[in-house]
Amino acid sequence: MRKITSLTDGWRFLKADIPLPQAVSYMAQGERVSLPHTWNAVDGQDGGNDYHRGRCWYLLPQEELAGERVFIEFGAAAMSAEVWYNGELLCRHDGGYSVFRVELPKTRKTENLLAVAVSNEDNDRVYPQKADFTFYGGLPRGASLIAVPETHFELVKDGTPGIKVTPEVDLEKKSALVTVETWQNGGVVTFFVNGEEKSVPSENGYARAEFRIDNVRLWDGVDDPFLYTARASLDSGDEVSSRFGCRVFGFDPEKGFFLNGRPYPLRGVSRHGDLKGKGNALSYEDHERDMAILRELGANTVRLAHYQHAQEFYDLCDENGIVVWAEIPYITMHMENGRENTLSQMRELITQCYNHPSIAVWGLSNEITAASAVTEDLLENHRLLHALCHRLDPTRKTTMANVFMLETDSPILDVPDVSSYNLYFGWYLGELEQNDGFFDEFHQKYPDRVIGFSEYGADANPAFHSSRPEKGDYTEEYQALYHEHMLRMIESRPYLWATHVWNLFDFAADGRDEGGKHGENQKGLVTFDRKLKKDAFYLYKAAWNKKEPFVHICGRRYVNRCEAETEVKVYSNREKVSLYVDGEKLGEQTGRTVFTFRVKLTGTHTVRAVGDGCEDSITVRRVQTPDESYIFNKAAASVNNWFDAEETDPACFSVMDTLGEIRANPQAGAIVDAMMAKGAAERGDVAAAVKDNPALQRMMGRMTMLSLLKQGGAGEESIKQLNRILQGIRK
Ligand code: GCB
C-alpha cells in the first residue's frame, strides 16, 4: 500500500538568501506558513515590477517516518529548487510549474529537517525570463510524502505518474485498443481495465498489457466526456491508477478541428493559473470555480498558458470535456543557454500529462520571436522540442503561438504540425479588420496549412465607460465591441482549428501600470478576483452556451449618460428579445447573439430585457455633464471632441487616410516620413525595430494616420497641424 501524507502545515519560511546552516539557526524566527505558498501574493500583483525575485528557504522539522521507501513530492517549486534533508543535498530542480519527486535517505533519524531553497531570481537558463505575467516564487502547489514498499512503481523519472495509458480508437468498429504501460523495480504487475485483468512480470523495470474495449463509450467533448480508469498493482501492494478517455482528434486545413470524426471547431479562452490576493497558490476550490466559469461561458477549449498548470485543472478539463492546448514557458525571448531547460520542461509536461484525454496539442513556444531573431539556434531548439514531443507522444500534434509580426514565410512555421498566431489588431496596433485580412491571406497563401488563432483580446477596466468606445480607452464597451467583431470574424472562418480569447481572467502582470490598475493585465472577460463578469463575457456566453437561457443587458455599470438617446445592447442566446423602458414595451427583435435598441433618456429609467424564460434589468440616467469617473484616458477621449472628420476635404489628403495611401504620394509621403523619422529618433531602438520589420511596416500601412498618431500619444496641436499640411495636397 502507498501512504500519502500531505505536508501542509508546520513550515518556516525565510525570505533570505543565506547558506543552509544559517537558515537552520534562524528557523525559529522564520514566518510560519502553510502550503501552497508563494511569497509574491501581494508584491507580485501591485505593480511597479518590483516583486521579490530571489532565493528563499522553506524549512520543515519532521519526526521519524514510517515506510520502507519514502519520497517527497513537490507539486511545483518556482522556479528552481534545491531539496536538502538533514544537511544533505538530495536534488536540484529547474522549472517552476512541474511535479518532481526525490527519495529521502533510508537512514532517517527520530528528528529530521527538510529544507528547500527555492529561487525565482532572474538568469539566462530557466524559462520564463521575459513575459508580462508575474513569475511567482514559492511552493505554490504543495508537497507530500509518499511511502511505498520496497518493490514499487517508478516515482522519480520526470515526475512520472508511473502508468501510461494509450487508447487507440476505431470509430467504425466502435472499439478501442488500450495499451497500459508501467515502470517499476521488479515484481509482477496486474493490470485492470474495464472489468478485465491481466498479470505480467516486470522485465527490465517495464511491463505492458493490452485491452480491447468493444462498444466503447467515447470521450466526446463537452457533451459526454466519459472517462475510464486503468489500474496497476504490484504483488508488494503498491498501486497506481489513471483515468483515460477514448477519443480521436483530427486537423484539417479547410475544415479545422475534428473530434471523433466530426467537425468540432475549438472555441474558447486562455487561462493563467493565478488569483487576486493568492498569487498562484490556488486551492482545489479555486480551480473548480474557474472551471465552472469556463463552463458557464460555454467554451469547449482552453489554452493553459504559458506553462504547465496544476494537475487538478487538467483533471477538471478531462471531466468537463474541455479540449486543452498545453505548453511550456518557452516565451518571448530565446536564450542560448536555455535549451536544456526547454527540453526538460517539455519532457516533464508530457510525462506528467500524457494520460489526460483532454489534451490535444503540445505548444512548443509562445511569441518566441518577439524579442529574438529567427536564428539557427532558435530553429534547432524548436526542432528538438518537436522531435521530443513525437518521441514521447506519437499520438498528439505540436503547435506554437506566433507573434503577429513574424513573417508567414519564416522557416519556423515549418517546425510544428499545426500553426497558430497571436494577433492584437484593434488593440495594440492596427484596425480590427486587419485580423480578418491576416487570416484570409494566410489561408489563401498556404491552403495546406492548419492555422489557428491562439490569442486575441483587449483590456477593459469595468469602471470605465463610453458611448463612443475607442481602441485604447480601456472601457468595457470597447472590449465588448472588439469581441463582437472578433466573434463574427471567427464564426465566418471555420478553417481556424482553434481560437482562444486572451484571457478568461485578468491576471497579475506586475510590470504593467495601465487602464487605471497597477500590476494587472485586464484583457480578462472576468476580473482578477472572479467577482465581476464584464459585458464581453456574456457575448461569448450568448454565442456558445446553448443550455442556459439568458438575456444580459450591457452597460449596467454605465449609469450616467449624457446623450438624449442611448444605445442599449442585449446579449442573449434566445432568438427573440423584447425591451421595456419604465415598464413600457419599446420593441422586440429577432436575431442572434447581439440585439441593439435605441432608448430616449430624459431622467432615470429602468430598462428591462425579456427573452423566452429569462430577463435582466439595469438603470440608466440622463446627466448634463460627462461623468469623469468613467474616463481613463482623458487626453485621448478629448480627441473626439475637437477632431471632426466631416470638416476635412476628401479631395485632399488628411489624417483620415491610411499611412499606405499617404506614402503612395511622393509629396505627402515625404512629409509623413520626415515626421515619423523625427519621432523614431526620439524613441530610439523600438522605432528602429519597426523600420526593419516589413511585416510591421505593411500592417502600419493599413492604419489611418489619425489612429497611428493617437497611439503614439500625439497631442491636439500636432495632429491638427499635420492635417492642415495634408489638406494642402490634392489626391
Ligand atoms: C501576448 C502574450 C501574452 C500577453 C499578451 C498581452 O501576445 O503572449 O502573454 O499577456 O500578449 O496581453 O499583451
Side-chain angles (χ1 to χ4, degrees):
M1 273 297 130
R2 230 169 224 218
K3 189 165 169 252
I4 301 177
T5 318
S6 166
L7 300 176
T8 312
D9 300 315
W11 293 86
R12 293 284 183 156
F13 172 66
L14 290 167
K15 201 174 179 180
D17 184 0
I18 46 178
L20 176 64
Q22 234 176 308
V24 175
S25 66
Y26 287 128
M27 185 161 79
Q29 281 104 293
E31 185 190 342
R32 287 173 197 276
V33 299
S34 352
L35 301 192
H37 179 261
T38 168
W39 61 77
N40 301 121
V42 176
D43 69 357
Q45 307 192 333
D46 60 0
N49 205 19
D50 52 358
Y51 61 104
H52 185 69
R53 289 187 71 181
R55 182 170 179 266
C56 304
W57 283 99
Y58 289 91
L59 302 155
L60 182 70
Q62 285 184 316
E63 290 172 8
E64 186 165 8
L65 303 166
E68 286 174 86
R69 309 277 300 260
V70 183
F71 294 76
I72 179 158
E73 171 183 287
F74 293 93
M79 301 284 174
S80 293
E82 288 165 17
V83 184
W84 297 79
Y85 200 73
N86 295 335
E88 180 191 340
L89 177 65
L90 300 186
C91 77
R92 290 179 207 275
H93 182 266
D94 284 330
Y97 305 95
S98 51
V99 177
F100 68 97
R101 303 185 192 92
V102 64
E103 181 167 11
L104 298 186
K106 285 190 186 140
T107 50
R108 297 183 296 262
K109 309 180 200 157
T110 38
E111 291 198 350
N112 304 281
L113 183 68
L114 172 66
V116 194
V118 187
S119 166
N120 64 342
E121 277 166 300
D122 55 355
N123 61 70
D124 66 353
R125 273 185 322 111
V126 182
Y127 289 96
Q129 289 297 335
K130 200 175 165 76
D132 73 343
F133 63 95
T134 295
F135 307 147
Y136 297 102
L139 294 176
R141 294 184 194 154
S144 34
L145 290 177
I146 306 176
V148 291
E150 179 53 38
T151 309
H152 58 270
F153 292 103
E154 173 65 36
L155 284 146
V156 174
K157 193 166 184 312
D158 298 322
T160 174
I163 180 168
K164 184 175 179 187
V165 192
T166 309
E168 279 168 81
V169 182
D170 186 327
L171 289 174
E172 270 179 20
K173 294 199 184 117
K174 295 192 172 61
S175 69
L177 180 69
V178 182
T179 306
V180 191
E181 295 162 281
T182 59
W183 291 263
Q184 55 283 316
N185 56 352
V188 173
V189 183
T190 308
F191 293 96
F192 304 85
V193 170
N194 201 30
E196 249 193 285
E197 147 177 1
K198 287 181 185 175
S199 288
V200 184
S202 174
E203 257 182 60
N204 299 322
Y206 174 75
R208 90 196 271 273
E210 285 183 359
F211 295 83
R212 209 185 132 86
I213 305 181
D214 289 316
N215 290 318
V216 68
R217 182 158 164 198
L218 298 173
W219 185 90
D220 207 20
V222 284
D223 292 337
D224 185 20
F226 186 77
L227 294 170
Y228 289 91
T229 300
R231 192 156 61 84
S233 71
L234 278 162
D235 29 11
S236 67
D238 193 25
E239 198 171 287
V240 282
S241 67
S242 176
R243 296 184 303 184
F244 66 95
C246 298
R247 82 291 183 258
V248 182
F249 294 145
F251 298 80
D252 184 271
E254 198 55 48
K255 296 187 185 133
F257 189 78
F258 278 68
L259 174 65
N260 297 330
R262 65 176 192 283
Y264 188 82
L266 295 178
R267 300 294 176 252
V269 291
S270 287
R271 175 205 189 227
H272 258 302
D274 70 342
L275 182 64
K276 177 93 181 160
K278 276 198 172 186
N280 60 347
L282 305 185
S283 66
Y284 185 66
E285 290 68 39
D286 295 328
H287 292 301
E288 266 188 321
R289 182 180 40 189
D290 281 5
M291 179 50 75
I293 296 172
L294 188 77
R295 289 305 307 270
E296 182 192 338
L297 186 69
N300 63 9
T301 180
V302 67
R303 177 175 172 213
L304 293 179
H306 281 307
Y307 38 76
Q308 183 171 335
H309 282 227
Q311 282 301 315
E312 288 93 327
F313 206 78
Y314 298 103
D315 283 338
L316 284 163
C317 292
D318 295 343
E319 290 160 18
N320 285 277
I322 302 295
V323 175
V324 173
W325 164 322
E327 68 189 38
I328 55 166
Y330 183 23
I331 181 167
T332 317
M333 181 184 66
H334 171 74
M335 302 186 293
E336 293 206 344
N337 295 334
R339 180 184 289 186
E340 173 44 36
N341 187 249
T342 63
L343 296 169
S344 72
Q345 292 209 46
M346 186 61 91
R347 223 165 28 236
E348 292 179 324
L349 174 72
I350 298 179
T351 306
Q352 296 169 22
C353 295
Y354 181 91
N355 296 338
H356 292 290
S358 54
I359 297 176
V361 289
W362 305 118
L364 305 181
S365 65
N366 179 74
E367 299 203 342
I368 199 65
T369 58
S372 306
V374 183
T375 59
E376 194 39 50
D377 194 65
L378 178 144
L379 279 170
E380 193 175 305
N381 202 146
H382 280 78
R383 288 191 198 109
L384 289 171
L385 279 171
H386 173 77
L388 175 72
C389 290
H390 283 290
R391 187 163 59 71
L392 295 178
D393 181 3
T395 72
R396 290 184 174 94
K397 301 273 187 229
T398 64
T399 188
M400 61 187 279
N402 295 320
V403 64
F404 75 100
M405 62 209 184
L406 177 74
E407 293 281 2
T408 59
D409 58 2
S410 166
I412 197 150
L413 272 100
D414 295 332
V415 179
D417 299 313
V418 297
S419 299
S420 210
Y421 263 88
N422 299 347
L423 302 182
Y424 285 95
F425 299 121
W427 181 246
Y428 289 125
L429 180 97
E431 317 298 340
L432 281 166
E433 295 70 25
Q434 286 178 249
N435 296 288
D436 319 22
F438 179 93
F439 284 115
D440 290 343
E441 259 175 51
F442 187 99
H443 189 51
Q444 203 183 16
K445 202 161 161 197
Y446 307 102
D448 300 330
R449 276 223 165 120
V450 178
I451 180 77
F453 197 3
S454 28
E455 272 182 38
Y456 63 99
D459 289 73
N461 179 335
F464 300 137
H465 302 285
S466 168
S467 295
R468 295 164 78 175
E470 281 220 342
K471 174 169 65 177
D473 67 7
Y474 291 87
T475 62
E476 208 177 344
E477 288 72 29
Y478 183 73
Q479 187 192 40
L481 208 64
Y482 168 95
H483 283 294
E484 282 178 29
H485 177 92
M486 300 309 261
L487 179 66
R488 280 194 300 272
M489 110 77 178
I490 286 165
E491 282 179 342
S492 58
R493 287 167 182 78
Y495 61 82
L496 294 171
W497 72 269
T499 62
H500 292 104
V501 174
W502 189 259
N503 194 290
L504 178 51
F505 305 110
D506 292 346
F507 61 89
D510 200 52
R512 284 188 185 265
D513 184 357
E514 54 178 311
K517 287 239 176 99
H518 305 296
E520 275 183 44
N521 183 315
Q522 297 186 80
K523 292 188 189 66
L525 302 177
V526 180
T527 51
F528 196 13
D529 58 8
R530 280 45 171 176
K531 289 195 178 134
L532 188 153
K533 292 170 181 137
K534 304 176 195 177
D535 286 338
F537 175 91
Y538 294 95
L539 170 74
Y540 287 104
K541 179 173 172 177
W544 295 341
N545 183 328
K546 304 274 181 279
K547 295 211 171 113
E548 183 197 324
F550 80 97
V551 282
H552 169 85
I553 309 180
C554 297
R556 65 196 334 96
R557 283 165 283 276
Y558 184 24
V559 179
N560 300 323
R561 308 184 187 196
C562 282
E563 58 270 25
E565 194 181 284
T566 197
E567 182 185 83
V568 170
K569 234 167 20 186
V570 179
Y571 294 153
S572 176
N573 53 4
R574 304 280 86 190
E575 274 172 17
K576 208 185 280 170
V577 171
S578 308
L579 203 80
Y580 296 81
V581 178
D582 300 326
E584 273 188 41
K585 187 164 178 172
L586 179 89
E588 182 176 279
Q589 276 184 31
T590 307
R592 240 185 89 236
T593 318
V594 184
F595 303 81
T596 309
F597 300 87
R598 304 286 311 170
V599 174
K600 290 206 163 45
L601 296 182
T602 49
T604 302
H605 308 280
T606 303
V607 179
R608 189 162 68 98
V610 181
D612 184 10
C614 46
E615 63 169 78
D616 188 23
S617 61
I618 66 166
T619 301
V620 287
R621 185 180 306 126
R622 174 97 200 266
V623 291
Q624 292 313 313
T625 47
D627 187 328
E628 291 270 314
S629 72
Y630 292 158
I631 306 168
F632 164 63
N633 189 343
K634 305 202 168 54
S638 78
V639 175
N640 295 332
N641 300 335
W642 53 257
F643 191 84
D644 191 350
E646 311 272 297
E647 281 172 18
T648 58
D649 177 358
C652 299
F653 285 101
S654 79
V655 292
M656 300 305 291
D657 295 317
T658 65
L659 179 62
E661 285 161 348
I662 296 173
R663 278 198 170 140
N665 176 294
Q667 193 188 351
I671 291 164
V672 164
D673 281 342
M675 193 198 79
M676 289 178 76
K678 185 165 166 277
E682 280 159 16
R683 279 192 309 271
D685 55 354
V686 178
V690 171
K691 185 170 120 282
D692 295 337
N693 188 316
L696 214 54
Q697 284 290 336
R698 269 202 312 278
M699 286 159 199
M700 284 173 62
R702 293 180 196 141
M703 292 172 66
T704 66
M705 203 58 223
L706 181 63
S707 97
L708 278 166
L709 288 167
K710 276 209 260 174
Q711 260 176 58
E716 174 173 353
E717 248 337 290
S718 52
I719 296 178
K720 279 184 172 166
Q721 194 190 343
L722 179 68
N723 198 51
R724 273 195 301 271
I725 298 171
L726 291 173
Q727 283 280 280
I729 307 170
R730 288 200 78 77
K731 287 187 175 170

